[in-house]
Amino acid sequence: MIKVLSIGNSFSQDAQHFLHDLSMHGKEEIYCVNLYIGGCSLETHFKNIKENNAAYLYEINGKKTDRYRSIEEVVLEEDWDFITFQQASWLSGDEKTYNPYFDELYRFVKERSNAKLLIHETWAYEISENLSLQKREEMYNNIRYTYGKFAKEYSLDIIPVGDVIESLRKTEEFDYSAGQPSLNRDGQHLGLDYGRYAAALTWYKVLTNNSALDVGFLPYEFIITDDSMQKINKIKEIVEAI
């Protein structure tokens, strides 16, 4: 069994929502924990490790609990295989907001765990009356550049959810501007069906190195039709290509 911890926010919550259940239909079970504070930034993570704040809602296998924990407590409670980091979504493309906070968080975790550390690449927001296609692409490019810069600097691998989401948006099946469903539910967070499914499948492939094509899991949120299966198969195709 693979054990993964995310020091995150609502975007890692989205990514982990289906991950355990999906892995049970794959070749290797993934036990996942998310430390959740809505909109949490690297700066807030830094503050919480310095003050040892038990400020994070403890989520197990995509489900909320009623417990609040500190980063140190949870890092030490398991022999984690992977621990993931991410910046708050609206700051993800602004490299000036990363340090000293990313560096402090990285060193704090490295001193306490032998886990492989990963960067969870978040996604650009969906086009709307306030965000043009050009601005969305600019946001995506900034996110991709910034996460890539820090991944290279710290020799970390990336879980490329942002790349997968942007690639899917360019397909016929998920072209929102052409009337296809958005991969987001509110312009920012992932949709409760295809968006979260795409993120979980991306994590599964990166964490297990197994094929996305072999996963038979279909969330109960899906209404199975020829169209929905075409969209699911497109997600698998895009994830498999990463």
Side-chain angles (χ1 to χ4, degrees), residues 2 7 13 16 19 22 33 58 89 92 99 112 117 120 126 136 147 159 162 177 181 185 187 190 214 217 235 239:
I2 292 172
I7 300 171
Q13 182 183 66
Q16 284 197 6
L19 182 56
L22 184 148
V33 167
Y58 188 73
S89 63
S92 289
N99 273 334
R112 292 162 175 79
L117 308 186
H120 173 211
E126 184 59 276
R136 187 188 79 190
Y147 278 126
I159 307 175
S177 63
R185 65 183 184 270
L190 292 178
D214 297 334
F217 171 73
I235 291 171
V239 172

Side-chain angles (χ1 to χ4, degrees), residues 8-216:
N9 51 43
S10 58
F11 276 40
S12 51
Q13 182 183 66
D14 275 349
Q16 284 197 6
H17 184 75
F18 291 133
L19 182 56
H20 173 74
D21 290 345
L22 184 148
S23 75
M24 297 299 287
H25 290 76
K27 293 184 177 180
E28 196 159 5
E29 180 181 357
I30 299 173
Y31 170 76
C32 50
V33 167
N34 183 49
L35 293 180
Y36 169 79
I37 296 176
C40 195
S41 66
L42 292 170
E43 182 176 3
T44 300
H45 291 316
F46 167 76
K47 177 176 181 288
N48 286 333
I49 61 174
K50 290 299 183 185
E51 299 176 0
N52 198 28
N53 291 328
Y56 296 85
L57 184 64
Y58 188 73
E59 300 179 336
I60 303 175
N61 291 337
K63 296 176 175 61
K64 295 179 181 179
T65 71
D66 59 358
R67 287 175 281 168
Y68 284 82
R69 313 286 290 279
S70 70
I71 291 175
E72 182 170 36
E73 181 183 8
V74 178
V75 166
L76 294 174
E77 80 176 3
E78 292 279 357
D79 185 16
W80 301 103
D81 296 294
F82 299 96
I83 296 177
T84 75
F85 306 134
Q86 66 198 59
Q87 177 59 294
S89 63
W90 73 93
L91 299 174
S92 289
D94 183 357
E95 62 180 286
K96 299 188 301 296
T97 67
Y98 279 64
N99 273 334
Y101 317 117
F102 184 92
D103 188 73
E104 291 283 351
L105 182 60
Y106 171 85
R107 295 180 187 282
F108 181 88
V109 173
K110 285 287 285 185
E111 290 172 359
R112 292 162 175 79
S113 175
N114 293 318
K116 181 175 182 179
L117 308 186
L118 299 172
I119 289 179
H120 173 211
E121 181 197 62
T122 58
W123 49 90
Y125 297 163
E126 184 59 276
I127 56 174
S128 66
E129 61 182 28
N130 298 316
L131 188 73
S132 66
L133 175 60
Q134 180 180 354
K135 288 294 185 182
R136 187 188 79 190
E137 291 177 343
E138 181 181 325
M139 183 179 184
Y140 163 67
N141 288 332
N142 288 339
I143 289 171
R144 192 170 192 272
Y145 167 80
T146 306
Y147 278 126
K149 178 180 183 294
F150 281 88
K152 182 177 180 180
E153 182 176 340
Y154 288 85
S155 299
L156 304 177
D157 290 337
I158 292 176
I159 307 175
V161 177
D163 294 346
V164 167
I165 295 299
E166 202 63 25
S167 294
L168 285 168
R169 287 166 168 168
K170 292 177 168 60
T171 66
E172 179 182 343
E173 290 81 1
F174 293 102
D175 184 355
Y176 183 56
S177 63
Q180 292 299 318
S182 174
L183 289 159
N184 300 88
R185 65 183 184 270
D186 56 10
Q188 300 177 14
H189 299 89
L190 292 178
L192 301 178
D193 45 23
Y194 299 111
R196 282 182 163 182
Y197 179 81
L201 196 61
T202 304
W203 278 54
Y204 172 82
K205 186 172 190 300
V206 171
L207 297 181
T208 68
N209 201 32
N210 291 325
S211 173
L213 302 177
D214 297 334
V215 177

